[in-house]
């Protein structure tokens, strides 16, 4: 099952914010590769450097190595619409 298959359902803005906050372990306001890898591991998914890097590349639209809440929201919307194939491969 893909990492964001569950995102094909609609989330209320507060639910997305709560999920983002849960992933943002260090409370920096963004999600980095380490936090993404931790989330994948908690979900029981295989964590490899290549998979984490591919997910980050897809989600991090400005290329700064971190996923902001806006990027996260965009990514969830793309996954929900089936427009983010990388998330279905994880």
């Amino acid at each position: 099952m893909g990492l964001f298959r569950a995102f094909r359902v609609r989330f209320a803005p507060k639910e997305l914010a709560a999920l983002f906050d849960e992933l943002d372990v260090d409370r920096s306001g963004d999600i980095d590769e380490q936090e993404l890898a931790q989330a994948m591991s908690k979900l029981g998914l295989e964590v490899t450097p290549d998979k984490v890097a591919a997910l980050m590349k897809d989600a991090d639209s400005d290329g700064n190595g971190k996923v902001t809440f806006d990027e996260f929201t965009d990514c969830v919307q793309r996954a929900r619409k089936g427009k983010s194939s990388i998330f279905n491969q994880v």
Side-chain angles (χ1 to χ4, degrees):
M1 175 164 73
L3 176 61
F4 286 95
R5 182 168 291 188
F7 292 149
R8 292 207 174 139
V9 298
R10 291 186 185 261
F11 282 91
K14 287 182 181 180
E15 292 172 320
L16 272 180
L19 179 58
F20 181 85
D21 288 344
E22 187 176 327
L23 296 175
D24 181 18
V25 177
D26 66 4
R27 303 293 181 241
S28 63
D30 48 44
I31 300 168
D32 60 24
E33 284 192 8
Q34 181 179 2
E35 291 166 324
L36 180 59
Q38 288 173 346
M40 292 171 65
S41 179
K42 284 182 183 180
L43 291 170
L45 300 171
E46 180 184 0
V47 179
T48 66
D50 289 342
K51 286 184 179 184
V52 174
L55 287 169
M56 284 298 292
K57 183 178 179 181
D58 189 70
D60 179 19
S61 61
D62 67 7
N64 71 350
K66 299 176 182 180
V67 178
T68 65
F69 180 70
D70 289 339
E71 289 171 326
F72 177 75
T73 301
D74 290 344
C75 186
V76 169
Q77 289 175 353
R78 286 194 320 272
R80 188 178 60 78
K81 294 176 183 176
K83 295 182 179 179
S84 183
S85 62
I86 188 65
F87 289 99
N88 294 322
Q89 297 172 18
V90 176

